[in-house]
């Protein structure tokens, strides 16, 4: 059964791998499943055909035969359940890996997203500069205990799992802010994630769509 995911036709990050299709591509690469990608413009994401797959009109989505999923947490969870490579065999270790997936999405990602909103959406508001340090401190309040828990281990709970895939994906977004470098153990943790061959393949695949010269070719072809 062919797996089809959706991604931005042109990611706002220009190919830094921060759009959320990258974490789904990464999971697919870790479990060795081939996939196809349907690229969408911002307009197409809000049209009925895509809204039938994703009620909020976002990317990524995941289709596999009759099954259609949205939310990266659900998609990565599905892949980890169906294929070897992202969940440990031991039931308790698997439950802990799931816990880390939720921690990444529910506890660590929200203040990180808040920083993006503060910078890129609210950056021109008169109160924005005053708010920024508060938002950054809320992120530090998540990174500090996370670094403590990781300690000098390679991964959060034994072997690499879907929990690490999600946590690294969430933390990656912090790199331009410099906050990650305040916690060298976490910076090294993210670098370990990025060094995985599966991540490299996922990153290269999204870059091939979003790299500036690829876009020049796409636009030339449309003219
Ligand atoms: N919680 C969702 C978030 C999905 C999301 O925010 N997608 C972004 C791209 S990374 C998007 O489609 N943004 C465009 C929009 O919301 O209109 C998930 O993890 O899948």
């Amino acid at each position: 059964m062919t797996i089809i995911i959706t991604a931005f036709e042109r990611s706002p990050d220009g190919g830094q791998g921060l759009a959320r299709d990258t974490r789904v591509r990464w999971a697919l690469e870790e479990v060795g499943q081939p996939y196809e990608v349907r690229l969408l413009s911002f307009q197409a994401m809000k049209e009925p055909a895509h809204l039938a797959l994703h009620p909020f009109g976002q990317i990524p989505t995941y289709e596999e035969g009759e099954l259609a999923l949205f939310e990266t947490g659900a998609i990565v969870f599905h892949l980890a359940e169906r294929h070897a490579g992202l969940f440990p065999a031991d039931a308790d270790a698997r439950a802990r890996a799931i816990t880390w997936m939720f921690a990444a999405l529910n506890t660590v990602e929200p203040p990180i997203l808040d920083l993006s909103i503060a910078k890129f959406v609210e950056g021109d508001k008169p109160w924005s500069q005053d708010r920024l340090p508060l938002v950054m401190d809320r992120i530090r309040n998540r990174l500090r205990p996370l670094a403590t828990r990781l300690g000098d281990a390679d991964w959060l709970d034994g072997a690499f799992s879907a929990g690490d895939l999600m946590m690294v994906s969430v933390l990656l977004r912090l790199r331009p802010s410099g906050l990650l470098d305040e916690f060298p153990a976490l910076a090294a943790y993210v670098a370990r994630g990025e060094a995985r061959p599966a991540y490299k393949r996922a990153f290269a695949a999204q870059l091939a769509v979003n790299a500036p010269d690829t876009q020049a070719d796409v636009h030339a072809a449309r003219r």
Side-chain angles (χ1 to χ4, degrees):
M1 198 87 69
T2 307
I3 293 172
I4 304 169
I5 67 166
T6 51
F8 285 128
E9 181 183 70
R10 182 170 202 175
S11 175
D13 77 355
Q16 291 177 69
L18 303 181
R20 288 176 182 75
D21 58 292
T22 303
R23 57 182 78 163
V24 171
R25 293 173 187 268
W26 184 8
L28 284 159
E29 293 288 352
E30 289 284 353
V31 300
Q33 289 297 303
Y35 63 98
E36 293 176 4
V37 185
R38 192 163 61 247
L39 299 176
L40 297 174
S41 65
F42 274 93
Q43 191 190 327
M45 285 163 59
K46 309 300 174 195
E47 284 170 2
H50 187 65
L51 289 173
L53 292 173
H54 197 309
F56 307 111
Q58 297 183 312
I59 61 97
T61 55
Y62 175 99
E63 291 157 80
E64 186 184 359
E66 295 296 302
L67 177 67
L69 299 175
F70 61 97
E71 286 295 333
T72 53
I75 298 169
V76 172
F77 187 98
H78 168 74
L79 289 169
E81 270 207 323
R82 298 281 169 100
H83 308 281
L86 283 172
F87 276 160
D90 175 74
D92 286 356
R94 180 171 168 278
R96 289 194 298 272
I98 294 167
T99 302
W100 281 116
M101 289 180 70
F102 275 88
L105 294 171
N106 281 357
T107 303
V108 180
E109 190 168 48
I112 293 176
L113 293 180
D114 218 13
L115 180 62
S116 301
I117 293 169
K119 279 188 177 167
F120 303 116
V121 182
E122 302 170 345
D124 59 347
K125 304 283 186 239
W127 37 261
S128 141
Q129 285 309 308
D130 289 340
R131 186 163 176 264
L132 219 48
L134 304 176
V135 174
M136 294 191 51
D137 271 348
R138 280 202 288 274
I139 297 174
R140 289 187 184 97
N141 288 344
R142 294 303 185 215
L143 299 187
R144 204 172 295 112
L146 184 64
T148 302
R149 173 56 79 97
L150 180 66
D152 58 7
D154 279 354
W155 307 113
L156 286 166
D157 191 82
F160 175 83
S161 78
D164 296 297
L165 183 148
M166 206 51 93
M167 191 64 81
V168 168
S169 298
V170 161
L171 294 175
L172 266 169
R173 194 177 276 249
L174 278 178
R175 186 167 281 128
S177 72
L179 277 170
L180 205 49
D181 296 325
E182 292 180 21
F183 300 88
L186 293 183
Y189 171 63
V190 169
R192 266 192 298 282
E194 290 173 304
R196 292 180 70 83
Y199 178 83
K200 288 186 181 166
R201 289 195 295 274
F203 183 88
Q206 66 76 37
L207 186 64
V209 175
N210 292 303
D213 19 70
T214 311
Q215 285 301 325
D217 292 346
V218 169
H219 292 305
R222 278 198 189 134
R223 260 180 233 129

